[in-house]
Amino acid sequence: MGDYYNRIERKLTDALAPEHLTIEDDSHRHVGHAGVHPDGGAETHFNVEIISQGFEGQNRVARQRQVYELLSDELRGRVHALSLVTLTPEEASKRRAG
Amino acid sequence: MSDNPAIAQIQEDVTSNDVVLFMKGTPMFPQCGFSAAVVQILSQLGVKFKGVNVLEDDNLRQGIKDFTQWPTVPQLYVKGEFVGGSDIVREMAESGELETMFKEKNVAVA
């Protein structure tokens, strides 16, 4: 895994103690698009799913704002887009059941 | 808040229009997949909205991020309130919450 993948994983794990964390480098689907890094490589677009008890009592905007703040250095750098799913464990189990 | 001249325009846009989408490109010609996805959701619901193309002006492109304290575009505003970016709008559309919110805020849906 790349440098940004590792940084994202470490920061989110440290701050949110997620029960579940999936990080997927989706950059290959955006090749040729304006946000792709000039070197044409990976690690510009990520899909991130976080299940954390810490999101309890926060609305979606507050949850995502928190994640964006944690990753503000990465977003100023190479990362162009971050697609987020932010759930509490309870919401995640409802979603699986639904 | 900021000496960015675009901030006053953003404030004016979100105050004087029920539904505003700050996006890359225009509703007819979105220039980003995330913006296109939100345009499609709003269109399917039959909601009238104002599209503001942030690519037209660097002050606007930075201004909307500072105004909302949200680092990405698209951004959806309804009755002056920030609803979310493309992930949130998509989740709310799938669960039906988006349509409910428009009805509660007295925004016409088709």
Side-chain angles (χ1 to χ4, degrees), chain A residues 7-18 20-23 46-56 58-76 79 81-88, chain B residues 69-72 87-88 91:
Chain A
R7 282 165 60 174
I8 292 170
E9 183 177 47
R10 193 183 62 243
K11 287 191 177 177
L12 294 180
T13 302
D14 288 353
L16 298 169
H20 170 89
L21 175 64
T22 323
I23 303 170
F46 285 95
N47 296 333
V48 178
E49 185 175 324
I50 310 160
I51 300 175
S52 167
Q53 193 59 48
F55 291 139
E56 184 67 45
Q58 293 185 314
N59 67 22
R60 289 189 180 90
V61 168
R63 293 175 188 186
Q64 294 203 6
R65 199 172 260 149
Q66 186 185 0
V67 174
Y68 284 137
E69 274 164 20
L70 288 168
L71 301 179
S72 59
D73 289 343
E74 286 71 23
L75 280 162
R76 267 194 298 272
V79 178
L82 203 56
S83 183
L84 295 174
V85 176
T86 49
L87 300 169
T88 62
Chain B
Q69 295 178 280
W70 191 264
T72 56
D87 294 326
I88 289 176
E91 264 185 55

Side-chain angles (χ1 to χ4, degrees), chain B residues 68-80:
Chain B
T68 312
Q69 295 178 280
W70 191 264
T72 56
V73 173
Q75 296 185 13
L76 179 66
Y77 274 83
V78 178
K79 299 259 170 146

